[in-house]
Amino acid sequence: MKTKEVIGIDLSKLTLDCYGHVSQSCCVFDNTVEGIAAMVSWALKSSKVKKQEVLFVLEHTGLYTHALMGYLSSEGYVFHVASGLAVKRSLGLTRGKSDKADAKAIALYGYRLREELEPYQMPTQTLEALKRLMSMRRKLVVQRAGHITTLCEQQRVLDQQSNALLFEVQRQIIASLDTQITALEDEIEYLIDQDPHLQNLYRLITSVKGIGAVTARFLLVYTAGFTRFATWRKFACYCGIAPFPYQSGSSIRGRTKVSHLANKQAKALLSMCASSAIQHNPELKAYYQRRVEEGKNKRSALNIVRNKLLARVFAAVQRGTPYVNTMGFAA
C-alpha cells in the first residue's frame, strides 16, 4: 500500500520527539510502553490515514530503541531504521540542532525515500539474546586483555615483594573475568544448540576453513540469520572489505580502495580469519602467495582472501551444504 504519511522519531533516553511530514504536526512522548502507544495513536489521528499508510522512521540509538521497535513490530506497523549518517548527509548544510529539528529531518528523509526504504524486520529473540551476550563478552575480553598487559608490564618493572598485593588483586580480577567469559560462551553455545535453524547455519559457516567460532556467531547475528543481506557483496560492503574506485574526470586517478564507513569489528574478525587461512589452508596460502608474486600489495592480497572467505560462507549457506575443499580431490 502506498505511503501517505511519514513520522520521523528522534529518540533519547527519556523522550520521543515526533514529527509528521505531511500533517506538519509535532509532539513529545515518554519513551515508555505507554508513551509509545500514545505516540502511535497521535500519529494515526493527526495524519488521518490508515495504519498501513503510515511509515515510522527512526535512527538506531542502541538500547533506547528496543521498546519502540518491539512495539511497532508486534502491532504490525511499518517502520524503517535509518542510518544517522545517511540522514545527516541527506540534509545538506544545516545550522543549529534540537530534538524537534532532528525529528523533522528524519521525517523529511523518510518522505523523500519512502518508495525505496525497506521495512525493518525484527530479528528473532534468540538472535537478540545472542547479540547482547556477544557484546558483553567482547567488553570483558577487552578488559581482561588490559589487565593482563598491565600486570605483565608491572611484573617486569616493579619489585615482586613490595607489590605482592597489587599483583595478586589483578590476578584475581583476570581469573574472575575468565570465569565470566566462559559462562557467556557456554550460554551462547546453548542458545545456538537449542535452535535447529541457527545450529545448521553455524555448522555451514564453520565448514569454511579459516572461519572460527567467534566470527561464525558474529555472522549469524549481524546478517539476522542470513536474511538481512541478499548477497555476500553487500555484506562485504557493510564490513568495509569491498574495494571501490576513486577517480573523476582526467585529474583524479586515485587507487581503488575500501571505504572507512564500515563495521570495524566485522573487518577485524575477517582479517584474523584471512590471516589464519593463509597459514593453515594450503589452497588459500598458495593463492595468496601467487597474487603477491604477481605484484599485488600484501594488504590487497589479504583483502582478496577476506572476500573469498565471505563468498564461500554465503555460498555454503545458500546451497545448504557444507563447503567442500576441492583442492583435496585434485590429483
Side-chain angles (χ1 to χ4, degrees), residues 40-213:
V40 170
S41 299
W42 164 83
L44 295 177
K45 184 177 180 180
S46 61
S47 61
K48 298 179 182 179
V49 296
K50 298 179 181 178
K51 174 180 177 180
Q52 296 81 3
E53 296 173 333
V54 179
L55 173 64
F56 295 90
V57 182
L58 58 136
E59 293 180 9
H60 197 287
T61 56
L63 190 62
Y64 303 141
T65 61
H66 180 73
L68 176 60
M69 292 193 299
Y71 182 91
L72 294 176
S73 178
S74 62
E75 296 297 324
Y77 290 95
V78 181
F79 67 101
H80 175 79
V81 181
S83 164
L85 181 61
V87 174
K88 182 178 180 180
R89 291 192 171 183
S90 71
L91 300 176
L93 294 175
T94 58
R95 294 176 176 81
K97 178 178 174 61
S98 68
D99 292 338
K100 179 182 177 180
D102 289 344
K104 184 177 181 179
I106 295 171
L108 176 61
Y109 167 83
Y111 190 80
R112 284 174 173 173
L113 300 176
R114 62 190 183 280
E115 301 299 332
E116 302 175 19
L117 298 180
E118 295 183 0
Y120 185 81
Q121 300 295 327
M122 289 287 291
T124 63
Q125 291 184 354
T126 302
L127 288 174
E128 284 286 328
L130 285 173
K131 187 175 183 179
R132 289 191 289 268
L133 291 171
M134 288 166 53
S135 177
M136 177 57 68
R137 178 194 175 278
R138 183 166 177 255
K139 292 177 182 178
L140 295 184
V141 168
V142 171
Q143 291 179 24
R144 180 182 63 178
H147 283 293
I148 291 174
T149 301
T150 302
L151 178 60
C152 290
E153 290 301 309
Q154 289 177 344
Q155 287 178 329
R156 185 178 64 86
V157 176
L158 302 178
D159 177 66
Q160 177 75 29
Q161 189 172 7
S162 59
N163 294 278
L165 179 60
L166 176 66
F167 296 160
E168 181 59 27
V169 168
Q170 293 190 85
R171 291 192 191 98
Q172 292 181 12
I173 292 174
I174 294 169
S176 177
L177 289 173
D178 285 335
T179 302
Q180 300 304 324
I181 291 171
T182 301
L184 288 172
E185 290 179 342
D186 291 342
E187 181 65 16
I188 290 171
E189 292 179 1
Y190 173 77
L191 290 176
I192 293 175
D193 291 340
Q194 291 298 110
D195 190 315
H197 178 62
L198 293 181
Q199 187 181 30
N200 181 54
L201 289 177
Y202 182 82
R203 178 180 63 88
L204 295 174
I205 297 170
T206 52
S207 69
V208 178
K209 193 167 185 178
I211 302 295

Side-chain angles (χ1 to χ4, degrees), residues 295-306:
K296 202 73 173 176
N297 181 282
K298 287 186 176 181
R299 294 180 64 181
S300 297
L302 183 67
N303 190 61
I304 295 173
V305 175
R306 288 188 295 200

Side-chain angles (χ1 to χ4, degrees), residues 214-228:
V214 175
T215 306
R217 297 165 188 163
F218 183 93
L219 293 174
L220 273 178
V221 170
Y222 283 85
T223 61
F226 290 85
T227 61
R228 190 164 291 169

